[in-house]
């Protein structure tokens, strides 16, 4: 694209900030950024939490996030690199439009917005087995735990009744640099933790680092290592008795990771401002316990349906990103969020503040379930429906991971791509 100075008309370079003929400021370069210049991931610091109470969201809290995003990009306007300066100018323009739109709503007296999308309601286990007491899906004929008939059907053989449900876990993980970025700042883990009793737990995690100059790589690796070491150390004591205790254990481990990354970022100027997402799934017996900070996701998949309306896929985690909240209030569609230029702005991350709020949840598992964890490098290129189809038609977890990564790369691979597939069988 040809560009001329608005003051003297002299031709100027596409990304120049000042005219080389008359010396006056040219304003932001109009050239659109290409996929070859992916914007960096932005971990905002010191953001007050965004509350989602009932089905409403505070517009002022959302405005705080947008303003912090503007400030972050303003600090890049003086960067030595012209591409960074151009990205910053464009980001500020886009965020200003969002800010203007939110401000108009507030000016009209609106303090909150009604949320249009929430995490889906999962299948219910409302039918208790008369023999073993385990919950079963509505409409189930036989208990998934002991095989006993749930009213009407033939009773199971005595041997079947005594056999507790044992779930087998097969896991695979894969991470890939993608087609555009130079480094891979993601870290993944899929492995086991050993309990003092000798039994094993499955642990899966995805961390998506940010910070540039290899700091993001360091942040995600440290977070993953601290998380695993903390859990293993705590589980050397005793096994948590209930969901609440499992979730407290996960929150403490995530906070330990947060402290370590935060302290290292403060101690080392080359790593200042580094951060990472962290999404973890811990498999204990027939339950999965999940913790997340940032926008790396966990999904539950099952060919037999996972939601009350029978969908084969459900997202279990909430994205702590600006675009997720804009989707919530209907400002953009989920489809637009996947390609939105400001999709990389996160308001909750590991390592950017001394403390962090952690989302946790616990869900029952049944044979045929798959827990999938991934970074945004996968879900920005591959839809939820495609992920579910590929994973459910590929019995081998390694192959499923490889197919998902290959598809994201085929579609541009604009970011690092990470995925963990954990398959649950009887
Ligand atoms: Ca990413």
């Amino acid at each position: 694209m040809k560009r001329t100075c608005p003051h003297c008309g002299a031709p100027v370079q596409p990304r120049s900030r000042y005219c080389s003929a008359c010396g006056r400021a040219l304003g932001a370069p109009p050239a659109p950024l290409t996929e070859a210049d992916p914007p960096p991931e932005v971990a905002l610091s010191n953001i007050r939490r965004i509350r989602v109470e009932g089905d409403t969201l505070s517009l002022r809290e959302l405005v705080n996030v947008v303003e912090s995003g503007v400030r972050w990009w303003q600090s890049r306007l003086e960067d030595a690199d012209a591409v960074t300066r151009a990205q910053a100018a464009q980001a500020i323009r886009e965020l200003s439009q969002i800010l203007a739109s939110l401000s108009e709503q507030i000016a009209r007296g609106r303090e909150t917005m009604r949320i249009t999308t929430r995490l889906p309601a999962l299948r219910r286990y409302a039918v208790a087995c008369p023999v073993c007491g385990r919950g079963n899906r509505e409409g189930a004929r036989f208990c998934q735990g002991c095989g006993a008939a749930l009213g009407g059907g033939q009773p199971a053989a005595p041997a079947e009744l005594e056999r507790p449900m044992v779930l087998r876990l097969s896991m695979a993980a894969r991470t890939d640099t993608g087609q555009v970025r130079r480094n891979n700042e993601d870290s993944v883990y899929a492995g086991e933790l050993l309990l003092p009793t000798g039994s094993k737990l499955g642990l899966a995690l995805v961390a998506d680092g940010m910070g540039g100059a290899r700091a993001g790589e360091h942040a995600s690796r440290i977070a993953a290592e601290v998380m695993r070491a903390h859990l293993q150390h705590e589980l050397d004591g005793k096994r948590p008795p209930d969901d609440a205790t499992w979730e407290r254990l996960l929150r403490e481990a995530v906070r330990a990771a947060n402290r370590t990354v935060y302290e290292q970022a403060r101690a080392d100027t080359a790593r200042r401002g580094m951060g990472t997402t962290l999404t973890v799934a811990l498999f204990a017996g027939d339950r999965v316990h999940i913790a997340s900070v940032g926008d790396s996701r966990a999904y539950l998949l099952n060919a037999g349906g996972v939601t009350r309306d029978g969908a084969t896929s459900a997202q279990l985690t909430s994205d702590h990103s600006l675009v997720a909240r804009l989707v919530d209030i209907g400002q953009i569609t989920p489809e637009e969020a996947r390609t939105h230029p400001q999709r990389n702005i996160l308001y909750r991350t590991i390592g950017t503040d001394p403390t962090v709020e952690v989302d946790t949840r616990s869900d029952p598992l049944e044979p045929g379930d798959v827990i999938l964890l991934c970074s945004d490098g996968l879900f920005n290129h591959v839809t939820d429906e495609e992920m579910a189809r590929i994973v459910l038609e590929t019995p081998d977890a390694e192959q499923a991971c490889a197919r998902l990564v290959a598809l994201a790369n085929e579609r541009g691979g604009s970011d690092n791509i990470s995925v963990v597939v954990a398959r649950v069988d009887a």
Side-chain angles (χ1 to χ4, degrees):
M1 194 194 303
K2 270 225 160 63
R3 191 165 172 235
T4 55
C5 173
H7 309 290
C8 73
V12 291
Q13 292 300 310
R15 293 189 183 279
S16 296
R17 294 173 73 207
Y18 298 95
C19 174
S20 57
C22 72
R24 277 181 282 185
L26 295 169
L33 298 170
T34 63
E35 279 297 278
D37 299 317
E41 288 172 303
V42 178
L44 301 179
S45 177
N46 289 314
I47 292 292
R48 276 176 293 159
R49 73 183 275 238
I50 289 199
R51 277 163 303 172
V52 181
E53 276 167 7
D55 57 356
T56 59
L57 185 68
S58 160
L59 289 183
R60 287 178 194 273
E61 288 173 12
L62 200 47
V63 163
N64 282 338
V65 173
V66 179
E67 285 174 342
S68 298
V70 170
R71 281 198 294 278
W72 191 91
W73 280 112
Q74 277 171 336
S75 69
R76 265 64 187 173
L77 283 172
E78 307 302 321
D79 200 278
D81 175 28
V83 174
T84 303
R85 294 197 302 269
Q87 280 178 332
Q90 184 161 321
I92 291 169
R93 197 158 49 236
E94 286 155 2
L95 290 170
S96 301
Q97 283 166 9
I98 295 170
L99 196 58
S101 163
L102 294 174
S103 304
E104 273 168 33
Q105 303 282 339
I106 292 172
R108 277 187 230 139
R110 201 169 231 182
E111 288 293 317
T112 58
M113 286 278 272
R114 192 165 287 277
I115 286 174
T116 53
T117 59
R118 294 301 303 270
L119 296 179
L122 295 190
R123 61 200 173 192
R124 286 173 61 205
Y125 292 88
V127 182
C129 171
V131 177
C132 72
R134 184 187 299 277
N136 287 274
R137 288 193 198 206
E138 285 159 326
R141 291 175 58 220
F142 298 98
C143 173
Q144 57 160 331
C146 70
L150 298 171
Q154 286 286 69
E160 287 285 305
L161 298 183
E162 283 150 25
R163 193 187 302 158
M165 181 160 73
V166 178
L167 295 177
R168 205 167 48 85
L169 195 61
S170 49
M171 291 199 285
R174 183 174 279 249
T175 183
D176 191 273
T177 305
Q179 304 296 303
V180 175
R181 304 223 187 246
R182 284 186 208 97
N183 306 324
N184 188 349
E185 299 193 314
D186 288 359
S187 293
V188 293
Y189 179 77
E192 287 172 332
L193 297 174
L194 195 62
L195 287 171
T197 55
S199 61
K200 289 169 181 167
L201 300 175
L203 173 67
L205 71 82
V206 168
D208 175 352
M210 54 206 78
R214 301 206 167 250
E217 247 171 279
H218 183 73
S220 69
R221 199 183 65 244
I222 292 297
E225 280 171 8
V226 172
M227 185 79 206
R228 189 158 39 113
H230 186 98
L231 287 173
Q232 182 61 73
H233 181 263
E234 292 299 312
L235 288 167
D236 280 344
K238 68 172 189 180
R239 186 190 174 98
D242 52 28
D243 286 347
T245 319
W246 279 109
E247 289 174 34
R248 191 175 336 126
L249 172 67
L250 278 174
R251 281 197 299 273
E252 283 163 4
V254 173
R255 290 195 178 121
N258 182 67
R259 274 193 303 278
T260 306
V261 177
Y262 179 76
E263 279 159 17
Q264 292 195 9
R266 272 169 57 101
D268 183 349
T269 46
R271 289 173 174 159
R272 191 147 293 164
M274 72 175 172
T276 182
T277 71
L278 185 57
T279 294
V280 187
L282 193 54
F283 298 85
D286 60 355
R287 294 186 79 73
V288 62
H289 309 285
I290 290 173
S292 71
V293 173
D295 71 342
S296 296
R297 294 179 179 171
Y299 290 88
L300 173 64
L301 316 172
N302 190 317
V306 297
T307 63
R308 296 220 192 136
D309 48 13
T312 54
S313 149
Q315 190 180 327
L316 299 177
T317 51
S318 181
D319 304 343
H320 303 137
S321 65
L322 171 64
V323 291
R325 300 290 77 81
L326 293 175
V327 170
D328 275 348
I329 60 170
Q331 185 118 2
I332 58 173
T333 65
E335 193 46 45
E336 285 165 345
R338 292 172 59 220
T339 54
H340 195 282
Q342 297 310 315
R343 64 185 178 276
N344 293 335
I345 290 189
L346 302 184
Y347 61 82
R348 231 203 274 173
T349 41
I350 298 288
T352 41
D353 291 294
T355 58
V356 68
E357 196 187 340
V358 186
D359 287 356
T360 57
R361 63 181 293 155
S362 298
D363 292 286
L365 292 168
E366 63 174 55
D369 281 350
V370 177
I371 296 287
L372 182 151
L373 308 185
C374 65
S375 63
D376 61 341
L378 182 70
F379 66 72
N380 283 330
H381 285 303
V382 180
T383 65
D384 291 6
E385 294 73 27
E386 289 169 326
M387 273 185 224
R389 186 176 48 74
I390 289 170
V391 171
L392 294 174
E393 75 182 22
T394 313
D396 183 75
E398 296 270 1
Q399 272 178 26
C401 289
R403 286 186 65 191
L404 289 170
V405 169
L407 184 57
N409 271 324
E410 247 169 58
R411 293 184 177 165
S414 61
D415 196 358
N416 306 141
I417 309 153
S418 295
V419 59
V420 181
V421 167
R423 192 174 286 280
V424 176
D425 293 301

